[in-house]
Amino acid sequence: MNRSLAALFLMAASSAALAQMSPVGLWRNVDDKTGEAKAEIRIGEAGGALVGRIEKSLKKDAKPDAVCEECADERKGQPIAGLEIIRGGKKAEGKDAWEGGKILDPENGKEYRASFTPIDGGRKLEVRGYLGPFWRTQTWTRVQ
């Protein structure tokens, strides 16, 4: 293998690894109480900030036409599939974390301050929601 081909291969491999250390991608979250997969959420970036939507509900009892009945803002009555649940969140300086965002829990309609930290080589994402001094952390798994 010539050097330029080897260098190109190494650059491509390292770019893929760096991309994995980002919240951008498709994630599966799990119910804290039952351990059941709840949803797949696609996180992207728009204008340097995170945006995330429920791509599909994975709950056994999920209705295909379900809407966010508990939402209090413009998302009230919007279909769960495609519902924007993550807004904002920018890469924190000097950290592998995205902070300053908000996350919506469509089951109760509450929106929480949130941070997003890729872990385990980017295969998992720690999603921490804050309400005042209290927080809860979920670990989401990247969908390959």
Side-chain angles (χ1 to χ4, degrees):
M1 184 184 304
N2 69 31
R3 282 191 182 152
S4 60
L5 187 59
L8 185 63
F9 176 76
L10 286 173
M11 282 182 4
S14 63
S15 295
L18 288 174
Q20 294 295 312
M21 287 305 290
S22 160
V24 173
L26 184 61
W27 301 92
R28 180 170 293 145
N29 72 349
V30 174
D31 187 288
D32 296 338
K33 295 175 184 103
T34 67
E36 177 188 5
K38 288 172 60 170
E40 287 185 354
I41 298 102
R42 179 155 317 267
I43 300 177
E45 245 182 308
L50 298 177
V51 60
R53 296 182 181 279
I54 296 175
E55 195 153 287
K56 67 179 171 179
S57 181
L58 301 173
K59 293 171 146 185
K60 291 178 194 134
D61 61 349
K63 297 177 185 125
D65 58 347
V67 298
C68 191
E69 295 172 8
E70 300 298 324
C71 292
D73 58 13
E74 78 281 358
R75 293 173 281 197
K76 184 170 185 69
Q78 295 296 313
I80 296 292
L83 187 69
E84 185 179 62
I85 63 166
I86 296 171
R87 292 180 172 172
K90 296 188 179 207
K91 181 130 176 35
E93 195 171 321
K95 295 191 213 172
D96 279 332
W98 280 250
E99 299 173 337
K102 297 203 176 223
I103 189 164
L104 171 76
D105 181 345
E107 291 180 2
N108 64 22
K110 291 183 180 169
E111 193 170 52
Y112 303 91
R113 288 180 304 121
S115 67
F116 307 89
T117 307
I119 59 171
D120 196 17
R123 289 183 290 275
K124 295 183 179 181
L125 183 67
E126 279 188 353
V127 178
R128 180 169 284 181
Y130 300 88
L131 185 61
F134 306 101
W135 72 86
R136 187 174 103 204
T137 302
Q138 287 187 338
T139 302
W140 295 2
T141 305
R142 188 180 295 275
V143 176
Q144 297 301 326

